Every structure is written in structure tokens, then in C-alpha cells.
Amino acid sequence: MNTGRMNTGRANTGRVEDSDRPDQIVVVPHTHWDREWYLPFQRFRLRLVSLLDGVIDGMEADPRWHFTLDGQMAAVDDYLEIRPERRERVAALVREGRLAVGPWQILHDEFLCSGENIVRNLQLGMRRAGELGATMMVGYLPDQFGHCAQTPQILKLAGIEHACVWRGVPGEVRASAFAWEAPDGTAIRTQYLPEGGYGNAASMFEEFADGASLLPGRVAGFAEAMGRWYPRGGPLLAMYGADHTAPAADLADRVADAGLGMRLDTLAGYFAGEDPSVDGLPHVRGELRSHARANILPGVISARVRLKQMMGRAERLVERYAEPLTALWYAGDAQTFLDLAWRRLIEVSCHDSVTGCGSDETAEQVAAHMAEAEQLGRAVCDLVTAERAASVPVGSHLVFNPTPAPRTGLITVDIPCEGEPGLVTGDGRPVPVQTLEIAPTVLDDAVHPASRLPILLERVYGRVLFGQEIRDWSVSREDRTLTFHVTSRADVPFDIGDVREALRDADGDWRVRILADPRRTVAALVDVPALGLATVQPVPAPGGAPDAPEAPDAPVEAEGNVLDNGLLRAQVHEDGALGLRTPSGHVVEGIGRIVDGGDLGDSYNHAPPGDDRLVGDPLSVDVRPVRSGPLLAAYDIVRTYRWPASGDVPGDARSAAEEDVTVTTRAELRAGEPFLRLRVTFDNRCEDHRVRLHMSLPRQAESSFAEGQFAITERGLTAEGGFGERPVPTFPASGFVAAGGLAVLLDHVTEYEVIGGGREMALTLLRSIGYLSRDRNAYRDQPAGPQLPTPRAQCRGERTADLAIMPYDGGRPGADVLQAAEAYRHDLLTGAGYGHATTAAPPSRAGIAITGDGVTMTSLRARDGWIEARMVAQCAEPATAVLRGPFTEAIRVDLRGRPGVPLDVHDGTAALALRPWEIATVRLRTS
């Protein structure tokens, strides 16, 4: 594919070049296209098709025309799906350099998707643009609500040397160009879009109805305002476009007739003559989340939390389960399904999609696409595990470890057994178990007249009866009894016709019994190799009696409102809050307090009422035992509250009416885990409010550390202001957030804030709001969109949040927190065996191991005949990634797959030195 520097097409512009007087202003006609927002996708696409029909016709009629299509290929794909006959016409304009497309597939929200999603977005966009003729090699990011720290490194690894941004730029930037530096030190020349962002010249060419030309004055005013941002001189960048709008049809004539030192070009054309060097430019390191120069609309992190949960599940399932399973353990080809899953994940990462700041219709469509991505990932996992489970005997289970290091983890499986269960691995090692539930063996036992027997037999579907498979049956005419024996999976022949024949001419009343084999649901503690497979199977002791279950080295105990697994002790106090203690002396109190407050804001900005009423004290507390160990133990902490039923907008307060709300927090400890799992569940019966989970910190924090998008970002306790938006210090975290010696492990992007002068952390569990944007928002001067009611954004109904709490040494979190977060997010995956019962369970098999202090794997997939692994050194010191597995060749590649430095491979082992925070992609040739 052609993804080199784009031809600006100047040879075809038809204008006279004046080498003695360089153009003063480069006008970039464009549209900013929100794919789905206050209208759902298809309603916006109708407008898109009309807009691009006009743009393409105009460009073909006038060679002076240039157009930039918003940096995202989605608009092109959406258009060509309706107008496939125009593909070659679009491609011709791209090849000429007059229509700039790419490099992104979609303009994503950089904090609400995974780092891997960002990479795949860029790869897909560049590939699709290359197929049309050329990729715009500019990291155009015009409207994202801030920018993540590793974006410069991601762009540079794809061969892109320029970025262009608007929101989030800090107040220290006082020029149009600055060096944006990633945590690893990679710096990229970045163009700031001052004085109006991507629409800084949107009104320049508007005219009054009487035909009076305002253009000379507007150009002069633009040049004066923008000139202050260009201390080094050079042409001024005039972004002529706005949301969902097309440029004036006679724009080229207006520019030519003005004679004011202007020219039309694409954004790629503007940067074609710019030196990518960052020498002498002011440096800005890390993420861009300042409120100093534009709104960053931080409330989108907590709007419609369910979308964030769905996104987290879908990304994990595809990234860390489906792709590695397929690459390492599947003989067939599932790539089409994986590509479709990624297409959905990338689409919903859009900055008006996963954010939840659209209409209710849009949110429903986004949720459906997220569910589809998750379903595709799960289907691929089912496909691979089914193939492997064919060699695992019935009653046994296959186990997959999605992490790149050997792992001991808990699984929950159903096994056939009587009495206390016993389990061993395929290698013959005993497995500690704990019974969670005993299934009933008598599923049905009733007397029916013989005339109903044919109808009763219609319950059998194939060989399935009451959700299980028939393994045996008998008919006793002497005592008129029909008995079915069912099991989870049977491997003996069965024909319902034989049963009907045995019941021919039956009369009188018949007893029909459906008996299930003894079966238990158990938790088991299993060792699984890195990215590898293991099996567990039930075993009886000699003589037919099962062995007593193995006990873990440090069993979990539950007694007197206390959970203890030897690594962590958790005690439930009278108010329902928890206290934690570790053997090394860490003590944390006040964990899990629920605080409800008002929210009269919108999907973009939280805004408490002026007369807010916080509810944090429960009316009652009840602690209920759930599990008692030895592998897992849990209590349910049931607290009742009375929360205001809604907001009172005229009174700038909360309503006097209240609702009774019960909040159940399940606190669970598992053997071998240094963290406490929490699940918070409640029925949201209220509106216009925010629910947060509060945790006291072991010591006062000066800053917080949040994992996300290939980095751990340190943030202070305040946010920089300066524009018309309240600079609230609420921030996003993906894998975990840590402060003051306490880490909170997360399974989806979550909003947090360190409050109380660094003494407490609050995580947003729910934000209920009734408008897309309010024209009057106490925390934002300008509307962020139309004042459109969004009743479903009140998020009524049952709400659940999962997280885990882990004390640590404090300061910047290290490998222990990273490893815990990795284990928490990625449970072991199981699949039921369906091989012959006499088949021997296969032994454990290792996949590919990737280890190193602070080294995290973000992707492992099959690509171009290789296995491709991506990893990042999430640490402030140099690190070494060690790769082990059945490979004979290893080579570093960039994000476009271009080969770099080969790695030395000895006995299936390769080492890779990494800079702090460096992202590395390695391709492995397996033997």
C-alpha cells in the first residue's frame, strides 16, 4: 500500500506560483464529521452522502479545489457503501493529492478505548487510505476531549511526523507549533489550532445578502489574531469548515479574486513544506488535558457508565482472549471474524460514541455495536476452545491463561461427582477445590396418564432433556415407570424412536422420572503456563471413594465479619465500610463508603446544584456471609439509604421527595490474591445525581497514578483552568488508579478524583443526567451541543460496578500493582471437554511467555504469517522484555509492519531492551 508522504497536487491547482511572495494564509477546506451524535448514524449519513456528492462534483469541475476529509476514513467508507460506483472518482482525487483522507479510521476518544484500539484504528485507517491512493501523513486530532500521553510515540511508530490538535493544550503553549513529547522521550512536531480550533476560519468567507464583501477585513483580522501565534513566521493555517457543513461552492473564486496572499490546499499540503524537526520548539510532555485554552468536557468519562463497561469487556475479549487463542492454538482461520470485531470496536471508540454524549438513539446503537464486538470475540473463543476440547474427556475442562506469564488462578466449573470432589490436572497434579453449589439429581418425578406420554416425549429435543443430554433410559411395564438419566454431555447413542416403541400400547397411569448425574459447581485453583493450556479432571480415590479436596497453601477464612487469605485481612465495620491490613504492616480504613450527590449538569460536564445535599450515611447495615473458604470467601454488605428522587432545576437544589435505595457490596477474597474484590449493586430509582465510592488513603497523596493507553500517568490534585469551563480534577483511569499507598484495580475506564487534600479517593459509579447538553451549565460557559433531552442517560434500573482494592508501598506503583491489575482483569478461561470419557486428559502446554519487570503485553495475534506481539515498558527505568516460546526467528517491526532490527534467538528465547515507556512490536516465526 502507498502510505508515503502525500502528493499535494500543486501541479494541478491551476494557479500561478509567485516564488518571490510566499502565500501568507493556507486555507484548508474541510468538514468535521461526527459520525453519530445528537442524531443516530444513518440520519447523519444521509447528510454525509449529500455533502460529499457536492464536494466531489465540485472538485472534478474545478481543479483549484482541495478538501480534507476530517482525518478519518470512516466518512469515506460510509459514503462509498452508499455510492460504490464513485469509488474510482474518489480515488482519483486522492491520488492527485487534492482530497486528503486518513490516517485514522475514526476520530476516537483517546481515554475511553484501549491503547491497542488506538493502534488498530491508525493501522486500519492507513491501510484503507492507502488502498485509495495515499494516506494523509498528519496525526490530525481536531476535536478529541484531550489527548493521551503516548500519542506522539504511536504516531511516530507509524511513520507520521506531524500532529495537529486543539483541545487540552496547556497554557504554557504560546505558539502555533510545539514539541509534544511522549513518556518515552519520542517528540513530534505538533500544530496547535488556536483562535477557534478546527473552525478558526469557518466564518471568514461568509457574505451579507447585499453582496458587500467582508473578506478583506476578515482576512486582516485573521492574520492579526493568528500572527501572534507564529513567532517564527510561515504561512498561517486557516481551517475553513465546521461540523457537518460543506464549504461555499464558489470558494476557489473568492480566494482567487481576493488577491490577499491566500491559497487553497489540504492539511497534508500545508505540512508538506514544514520541517518535522522539533529543535527550538517549546516542549510539552505527556497527556494534554488542560482546560486552559478550550473545553475538554471531562464529564464524558462518567456519562452512561454502562457503555464504558461494555467497551472494556469487548476489548478484553478480543485483544487478550480471542486473538491469542487463535494465533497460538487454532489450526483454522478466524481472521474475518476478528477483523469484523475490530471494525466494531474502532467504530464505537468515536469521540461522540463511547463517550455517551449523544442522543438516546445513538447510545442504543453504540451499545449494540459493542455487544456485537463482544459476541464476535466470544464466538472465536468458543471456536478455538471447542477444537481443543475435543481431546479433553467429558467431565473434564480445558483452561486457557490469557496472560503471558505462568499463572495460578481460580476457575469455576461444573464437574460430575458424588461426595467431596477431587480434581487433578492433565499432568496428574492435585488441584485445590471448594464446592460452591450442589445440583439437584431429581429434576422431575410425576405421574401422568398414558395418553400424555407422547406429548411428554416431545420435551426431548434431539437428545436434550431439561437442558442436559440423555445418557440412559429405561421402561418398566411392571410398575409403569419411565426413567431418563441425563448428564451434562453424553457420548452413547440415543434414539427417541426406541423410547416410543417401548411405550407402545401403554395404558393406565405412568410415573415419569428425570434423574441427573450427581454434579457440583466448584472453584478450583489451577496452575496454567504462559498463554498456555491446562486441563482439570475429576478423579475418585481407590475403591471408588473420592479423595478429600486439596487445601491451598494459604486458605481463605471468613469469621466474625473478617476475611483473611494470609496476604490481606479485610474487616467489615458497623457502618459497612471496610478496613484492610497486610502482613507487612499496611493499614487502610474507610474503604467502600457510598456517597450520593446531585448533578444538574449534562453528558459533558458534571455540575452539582448550588444547594447540594450529599448522602453518605446509611440508614441500616446488614452483613451476610456468602462463602467461607478455603479458596474464596465473601460477605455481602447490605446498606439502605434515602436518596433525593430527582433534581430541582429552578431551585438549583435536589428534590424534597426521596427514594429508598438498597446498595449491596460484595467483598470477596481469593486464595493467593493480594487484593480485595468488590462488587457494588443497586437499583437506581433516582435522577439527576452522581454516586461515588469513597476510599480513605493510608497517607496523604500529593498526586495520583492512572494506568491507560500504554502508560501510567502521574497527575496532581488540581487541574489547569483558563477557559470557560470549571477545571475539575476528575480524571480517567483504565487498568488501575493508585494514590497514597492504595491501588484500585479496574475492569473498564473509570472516573476518579483525589479529594480531601489528598486524604481520600472517590470513584464515580454512576452519573444520572437528563440532557445531552444544557444551555446553562454551572460548570461550563458555552453549550457543548444541542439541549436535547436524554431520559435514558438517567440510567435507571439495576447498576453494577466491579473493582478491587490493593494496598501497596506508595509512590509510583511498580510491578506488583501491574501484575495484580493484569490478573484481576484477565480471569482464566475454561471450556468443557467433550472427548470420549476414557480419553486421557492432555498435559499442560505453554504458549509464548513475555516477562520483565514493568513489561506488559498488550496484543498477541497472527499477522502476515507471523505471530506478532506488542508490549510496553510501563516503568520509569529501562527494562528488558524476555520472550520464550517455540519460535526460531524474531524481528522488531513498526506499526505498519515494516521490519527493523532482528533479535538474537537462542533455544526459543529472545531478549529486548526497552526504554522507559517504550512501545515495541515483535514478530515471531514459530517452528
Side-chain angles (χ1 to χ4, degrees), residues 33 100 179 187 222 230 289 311 363 399 408 424 436 441 542 587 591 635 642 646 657 710 780 812 889 902 904 924:
W33 199 263
F222 178 87
Y230 287 74
R289 283 194 65 85
M311 186 70 158
V399 186
T408 300
V424 297
L436 303 179
T441 55
V587 178
I591 297 295
Y635 288 115
R642 286 189 65 80
S646 64
F710 301 122
R780 188 189 63 243
R812 181 176 292 278
E889 186 179 354
D904 291 331
L924 308 171

Side-chain angles (χ1 to χ4, degrees), residues 8 37 67 245 336 476 700 850:
T8 64
W37 181 23
F67 194 75
T245 60
T336 301
S476 173
Q700 186 172 4
I850 302 175

Side-chain angles (χ1 to χ4, degrees), residues 655-725:
S655 69
E658 296 180 329
E659 289 279 357
D660 293 325
V661 180
T662 299
V663 180
T664 300
T665 303
R666 176 161 295 184
E668 178 182 300
L669 269 185
R670 297 183 179 183
E673 290 186 345
F675 48 84
L676 176 72
R677 294 172 180 257
L678 297 181
R679 168 168 287 184
V680 183
T681 305
F682 59 94
D683 181 7
N684 180 38
R685 305 168 64 186
C686 305
E687 297 183 345
D688 309 320
H689 68 129
R690 180 177 68 174
V691 183
R692 300 210 287 186
L693 184 73
H694 286 235
M695 287 147 291
S696 297
L697 300 178
R699 52 187 167 276
Q700 186 172 4
E702 301 295 333
S703 62
S704 65
F705 300 87
E707 191 278 340
Q709 297 81 35
F710 301 122
I712 300 171
T713 300
E714 183 175 7
R715 300 177 176 126
L717 305 186
T718 60
E720 183 184 34
F723 198 67
E725 180 179 55

